């Protein structure tokens, strides 16, 4: 196991808490009402096409992408549109959402609901991109970058390396792990689809070594597919970060302010690749995803297949309800996920987990004086010096921040995690970014 | 009521107190060696120093600086132990208390406390005593293994003291007959400060610190390595026993300094690159002072001088930023 | 021994002499020639370097004054020194003095602990700008005061403090110089520099919430619900985006109390509070 790949700069090894590795993906079922946000991606919100009283089916287009960086939004249930208005999202800010009352479970007839695996890809690259656009596929790792843009090469750019991101380095989350175990062949075909769209021959599925079952399942399949290989990586946070993964697998560094395509790489999350398979081969728009409901205060942790728009509170009820010791409900992983103010907020295309964390685990210690240990600089995967950024921010020396490369910060939280003096270093970095952007 | 907070929601279990406790644990083998070789007196020196340091930290924070009680973080215990390690076992208790005052109140708390001091407190305490009481600070009781209450104290010269008093003509011919054996230097059966004599015990401490990831190997390695290489080159060039690299490595306060003093978080550079530069310069200064100054030993001075350069190193030496080319 | 002492004195004295000569030459060679009036203006300015004038500091402002023509000078203002200082500068430059109304900073939010009770707890760094980034805040109002006091820290004149009973910042009128540091730092633009008014009489809407009345009221009892009652009293008052705005020009002495009484939620604040007693 000496040839495990990993990135060389920084990184940490938090406790894994992968309690749900062995739990099969269960269907979460249908809530009474779903709230579907029209902005589940980076870029402009989609244009709403339905109004109050409209009847919709599973897969009906609700909102049309507005502009290049945007994505279609589809209905995840069948029923009646109750209202189209701004509602409180997880952060407490209002967002435009389409509220649908669930009636039955009728699918649009174009969706192929059979379980058979389609292996032949009869489409041209243009057709593939078109299908992805129609299915509203976005990067499901968390960023929400519309996938059609990533699967069509920009003018003058060349890609030679597709990396399928099977690294789930956030503690607690196991949704990608389970997906790779249960849908290995679909993921491999999905990778072939992206390869065809981009005209590349090879794809690497990167999985970290703490997922032996997924590695085994994928390796068995890739034997019969030419050009798709599984690469085992060492377990280290934040290996799932795009720049870190490219550094680990392809040994290339994406320059500051550039995109992976600038070094010839394309990274797609396994969840996205599976959605791509379903969109292209099964005509299925992106209206459901796999997520992990877990946390140290969660009574019955599990991996669920969830319809987009399902309220978080529905999933919490499914998993045994909000326990006494729950101090925080976090959407996403515990390192980068956001804590919610409102548990009725819906699950979106980007929600990789719902975590219930106790005060014991998620308590922020009292800040003490920096002891100048330098652990933050050692842990930073971008080679920044968080202690310096914090010092500059405290002193109000915002003009020196650019020299500290704050804008390269990926907000992974390694610095704040590792700080023995409990200095909220990431908060200072975020503040520094806000200040710098204000100045521009 | 739900709570919201900023990311990350998890935090490493290692806090300042845990790190300091680890350093105290790492110092224990050397403390044990001190008691084995210098008996009860070493115990008195260590107890006096630690007690005085903790007392001064508590009293000064409470009554003078009116800040919170910082004795709980164990950093005063470390300063106390390190100060004791840098003293001979015959040191009078009154002087130790004075040294502890200099270390804790003047060198640390006056600068703003843990994390803000420029110079290593224990070394300031030692150098203060060294300059104020040169006679008491250069009397080295002879080590007596497992004789705890040996009152008939003979004194012995330190290895580096012997080297200093050799002249160029004799050293080449006498061929080190008077120098202790490598084995004695390694286990600690030589004259010197109570904590610095046993290389074995210090290396055990180093191993613990590395295993607990309190420090990285860079500063100890580059510091000791620089001394070893420079003296080694001189030794090969001249054949003079005074330049014997292994003797220089095992004698005096080099290992204590390289493992515990130069690695002090607060007074060493923050970045890895800066630490390497700092350690190499520490090593060069140590050799210069040992070989060409009036003092036989130069570790404390070398580290203190380099402490003064740490802010400068931190300002100009930065690691590579991801994606910025090699 | 004599010669030792003499030699050392000679050597040290020599070094001192040479250094002095070098220093003298350097100060001549690198001397920066400045208009003498800059120093005069500098002496008049408050030297708080607050940046309230929009310049990098008082010296920079002095430079700007010197470079300005008489017309341009009319646009420059030191909010801290007010017109006494500007008049002095005008005298130094030989320009005519410009009259300007005294101003003060006001907080356009009345989301106190009582009006806008906390629904969640916040555990993180004490910074409004960070809290604003991650959520709508304790009460759920996306435009209300976050109560973490970035403005208090930013105020260079110690004119702001968080009232422990209400949780929101209070402006000390006597200390406030309307430098605008709070206006710039507040992530929700809750501060506004307004004329102090005759006898401290001012009237303004203490709310920035643009949500629909019912939604806003759910989070805060003192939210502006854009009912338009104030606009009926004073047609100059605008009601846009579910929010009413009272322009600074409204005569507070005449309408202040009436407007405050007419407001059904208490979003309109008229100062001083005991004006009619």
């Amino acid at each position: 196991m000496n040839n495990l790949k990993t990135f060389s700069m920084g990184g940490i090894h938090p406790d894994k808490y992968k309690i749900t590795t062995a739990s099969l993906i269960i269907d979460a079922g249908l809530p009474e009402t779903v709230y579907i946000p029209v902005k589940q991606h980076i870029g402009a919100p989609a244009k709403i096409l339905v109004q109050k009283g409209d009847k919709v089916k599973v897969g009906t287009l609700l909102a049309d992408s507005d502009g290049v960086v945007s994505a279609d939004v589809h209905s995840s249930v069948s029923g009646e549109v109750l209202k189209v208005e701004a509602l409180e999202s997880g952060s407490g800010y209002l967002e435009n959402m389409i509220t649908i009352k669930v009636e039955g479970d009728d699918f649009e007839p174009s969706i192929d609901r059979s379980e058979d695996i389609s292996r032949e890809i009869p489409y041209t690259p243009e057709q593939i991109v078109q299908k992805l656009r129609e299915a509203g596929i976005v990067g499901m790792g968390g960023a929400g970058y519309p996938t059609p843009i990533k699967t069509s090469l920009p003018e003058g750019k060349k890609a030679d390396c597709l990396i399928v991101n099977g690294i789930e380095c956030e503690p607690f989350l196991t949704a990608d792990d389970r997906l790779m175990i249960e849908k290995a062949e679909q993921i491999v075909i999905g990778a072939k689809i992206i390869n065809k769209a981009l005209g590349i021959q090879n794809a690497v599925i990167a999985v970290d070594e703490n997922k032996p079952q997924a590695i085994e399942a994928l390796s068995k399949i890739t034997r019969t597919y030419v050009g798709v290989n599984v690469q085992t990586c060492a377990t280290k946070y934040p290996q799932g970060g795009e720049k870190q993964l490219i550094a680990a697998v392809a040994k290339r560094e994406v320059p500051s302010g550039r995109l992976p395509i600038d070094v010839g790489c394309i990274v797609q999350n396994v969840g996205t690749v599976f959605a791509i398979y379903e969109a292209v081969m099964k005509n299925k728009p992106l209206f459901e995803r796999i997520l992990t409901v877990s946390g140290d205060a969660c009574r019955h942790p599990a991996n669920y297949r969830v319809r987009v728009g399902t309220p978080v509170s529905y999933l919490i009820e499914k998993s045994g309800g909000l326990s006494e010791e729950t101090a925080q409900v976090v959407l996403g992983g515990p390192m980068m996920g956001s804590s919610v103010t409102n548990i009725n907020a819906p699950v979106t295309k980007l929600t990789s987990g719902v975590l219930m964390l106790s005060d014991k685990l998620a308590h922020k210690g009292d800040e003490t004086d920096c002891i100048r240990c330098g652990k933050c600089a050692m842990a930073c995967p971008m080679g920044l010096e968080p202690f310096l950024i914090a010092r500059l921010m405290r002193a109000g020396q915002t003009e020196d921040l650019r020299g500290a490369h704050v804008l390269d910060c990926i907000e992974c939280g390694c610095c704040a995690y590792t700080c023995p003096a409990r200095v909220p270093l990431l908060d200072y970095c975020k503040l520094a970014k806000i200040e710098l952007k204000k100045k521009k | 009521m739900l709570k919201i907070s900023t990311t990350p929601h998890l935090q490493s279990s290692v806090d300042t107190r845990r790190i300091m406790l680890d350093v105290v644990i790492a110092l224990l083998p050397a403390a044990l060696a001190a008691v084995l070789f210098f008996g009860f007196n070493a115990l008195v020196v260590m107890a006096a120093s630690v007690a005085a340091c903790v007392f001064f930290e508590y009293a000064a924070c409470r009554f003078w600086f009116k800040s919170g009680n910082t004795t709980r973080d164990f950093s005063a215990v470390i300063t106390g132990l390190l100060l004791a390690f840098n003293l001979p076992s015959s040191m009078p208790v009154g002087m130790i208390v004075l040294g502890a005052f200099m270390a804790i109140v003047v060198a640390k708390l006056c600068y703003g406390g843990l994390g803000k001091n420029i110079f290593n407190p224990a070394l300031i305490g030692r150098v203060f005593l060294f300059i104020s009481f040169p006679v008491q600070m250069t009397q080295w009781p002879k080590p007596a293994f497992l004789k705890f209450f040996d009152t008939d104290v003979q004194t012995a010269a330190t290895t580096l003291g012997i080297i200093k008093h050799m002249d160029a003509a004799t050293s080449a011919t006498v061929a080190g007959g008077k120098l202790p054996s490598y084995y004695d230097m390694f286990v600690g059966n030589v004259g010197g400060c109570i904590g610095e004599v046993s290389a074995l015990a210090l290396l055990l401490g180093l191993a613990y610190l590395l295993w607990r990831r309190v420090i990285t190997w860079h500063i100890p390695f580059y510091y000791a390595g620089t001394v070893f290489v420079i003296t080694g080159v001189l030794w090969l060039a001249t054949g003079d026993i005074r330049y014997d690299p292994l003797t220089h490595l095992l004698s005096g306060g080099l290992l204590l300094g390289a493992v515990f003093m130069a690695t002090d978080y607060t007074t060493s550079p923050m970045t890895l690159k800066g630490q390497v530069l700092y350690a190499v310069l520490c090593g060069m200064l140590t050799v210069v002072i040992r070989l060409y100054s009036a003092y036989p030993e130069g570790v404390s001075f070398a580290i203190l001088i380099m402490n003064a350069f740490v802010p400068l190193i931190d300002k100009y030496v930065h690691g590579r930023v991801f994606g910025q080319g090699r | 021994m004599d010669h030792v002492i003499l030699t050392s004195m000679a050597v040290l004295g020599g070094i001192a002499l040479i250094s002095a000569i070098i220093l003298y030459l350097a100060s001549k060679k690198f001397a920066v020639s400045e208009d003498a009036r800059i120093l005069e203006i500098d002496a008049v300015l408050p030297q708080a370097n607050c940046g309230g004038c929009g310049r990098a500091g008082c010296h920079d402002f002095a430079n700007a004054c010197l470079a300005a023509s008489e017309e341009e000078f009319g646009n420059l203002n030191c909010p801290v020194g007010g017109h006494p200082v500007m008049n002095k500068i005008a005298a130094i430059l030989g320009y005519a003095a410009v009259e300007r109304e005294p101003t003060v900073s006001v907080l356009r939010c009345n989301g106190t602990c009582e009006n806008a009770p906390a629904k969640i707890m916040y555990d993180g760094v004490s910074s409004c700008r960070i809290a604003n980034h991650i959520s709508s805040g304790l009460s759920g109002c996306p435009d209300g005061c976050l109560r973490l006091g970035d403005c208090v820290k930013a105020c260079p004149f110690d004119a702001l403090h968080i009232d422990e009973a209400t949780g929101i910042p209070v402006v000390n009128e006597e200390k406030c110089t309307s430098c605008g540091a709070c206006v710039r730092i507040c992530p929700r633009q809750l501060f506004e520099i307004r004329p102090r008014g005759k006898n401290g009489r001012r009237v303004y809407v203490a709310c920035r919430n643009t949500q629909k009345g019912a939604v806003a009221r759910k989070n805060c009892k003192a939210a502006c619900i854009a009912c338009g009652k104030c606009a009926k009293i004073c047609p100059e008052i605008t009601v846009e985006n579910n929010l009413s705005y009272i322009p600074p020009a409204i005569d507070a002495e005449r309408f202040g109390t009436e407007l405050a009484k007419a407001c059904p939620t208490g979003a309109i604040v008229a100062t001083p509070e005991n004006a009619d007693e």
Side-chain angles (χ1 to χ4, degrees), chain B residues 219-243:
Chain B
I219 290 182
F221 175 80
Y222 280 100
Y223 191 166
T226 305
V227 173
F228 189 81
V229 167
I230 298 179
T231 51
V233 168
L234 288 172
W235 182 66
L236 286 178
T238 61
D240 193 329
I241 192 77
R242 290 180 302 173
Y243 301 141

Side-chain angles (χ1 to χ4, degrees), chain A residues 253 327 334 359 364 372 385, chain B residues 3 6 9 266 318 320 322-323:
Chain A
E253 283 193 4
D359 215 17
K364 288 224 187 305
R372 293 178 39 86
E385 292 170 19
Chain B
K3 215 169 68 173
T6 49
H9 304 291
T266 308
H318 296 284
R320 193 175 68 86
F322 186 95

Side-chain angles (χ1 to χ4, degrees), chain A residues 352-403:
Chain A
S352 48
V354 172
L355 303 181
M356 283 163 258
L357 303 179
S358 73
D359 215 17
K360 213 172 102 204
L361 199 69
H363 178 70
K364 288 224 187 305
D366 292 331
E367 181 179 350
T368 56
D369 285 335
C370 168
I371 54 168
R372 293 178 39 86
C373 62
K375 281 181 190 289
C376 53
M378 223 81 93
C380 180
M382 297 305 286
L384 310 183
E385 292 170 19
F387 64 90
L388 180 67
I389 295 166
R391 202 166 65 204
L392 291 174
M393 280 313 290
R394 277 200 184 137
Q397 287 168 280
T398 42
E399 63 275 12
D400 297 336
L401 283 172
R402 205 170 295 275

Side-chain angles (χ1 to χ4, degrees), chain B residues 100-283:
Chain B
F101 177 80
M102 282 303 289
I104 292 292
V105 180
V106 178
K108 184 174 149 194
L109 295 176
C110 277
Y111 283 92
L114 182 64
K116 305 206 180 76
N117 50 306
I118 299 172
F119 299 103
N120 188 318
L123 283 179
I124 291 281
R126 170 195 148 85
V127 168
F128 171 79
L129 293 176
F130 188 63
I131 292 169
S132 310
F133 311 105
V135 178
Q136 287 85 346
M137 283 294 285
T138 45
Q139 271 177 350
W140 313 105
K142 208 171 182 167
F145 190 64
L146 286 179
K147 285 181 187 150
F148 292 107
F149 299 101
D150 199 349
T151 44
D152 175 33
V153 177
Q154 292 176 295
T155 57
T158 63
T159 317
L160 291 170
I162 299 169
I163 290 181
K164 197 94 232 174
H165 291 108
M166 288 177 177
D167 54 52
T170 53
S171 66
T173 50
V174 171
K178 289 193 294 191
L179 286 179
S181 66
Y182 289 139
Y183 174 77
D184 279 345
M185 286 193 277
F186 183 69
V187 296
N189 195 16
V190 287
C193 295
I194 60 169
E196 69 181 25
V197 289
S198 174
L200 176 65
L202 292 168
L203 289 175
L204 280 177
L206 174 66
Y208 180 76
L209 289 182
L210 291 176
W211 174 63
R212 290 285 307 169
R213 291 172 194 247
V214 173
I215 59 170
T216 56
W217 54 271
H218 299 79
I219 290 182
F221 175 80
Y222 280 100
Y223 191 166
T226 305
V227 173
F228 189 81
V229 167
I230 298 179
T231 51
V233 168
L234 288 172
W235 182 66
L236 286 178
T238 61
D240 193 329
I241 192 77
R242 290 180 302 173
Y243 301 141
D244 177 24
L246 210 53
T247 306
H248 274 280
L249 191 65
L250 296 173
S251 63
L254 180 62
L255 284 177
L256 178 63
V259 175
F260 290 103
M261 315 283 239
T263 55
D264 173 34
Y265 283 154
T266 308
T267 54
S268 63
M270 301 282 264
T271 59
L272 219 49
K273 233 167 135 183
Q275 287 174 1
V276 171
L277 176 68
Y278 162 87
V280 168
L281 288 173
C282 275

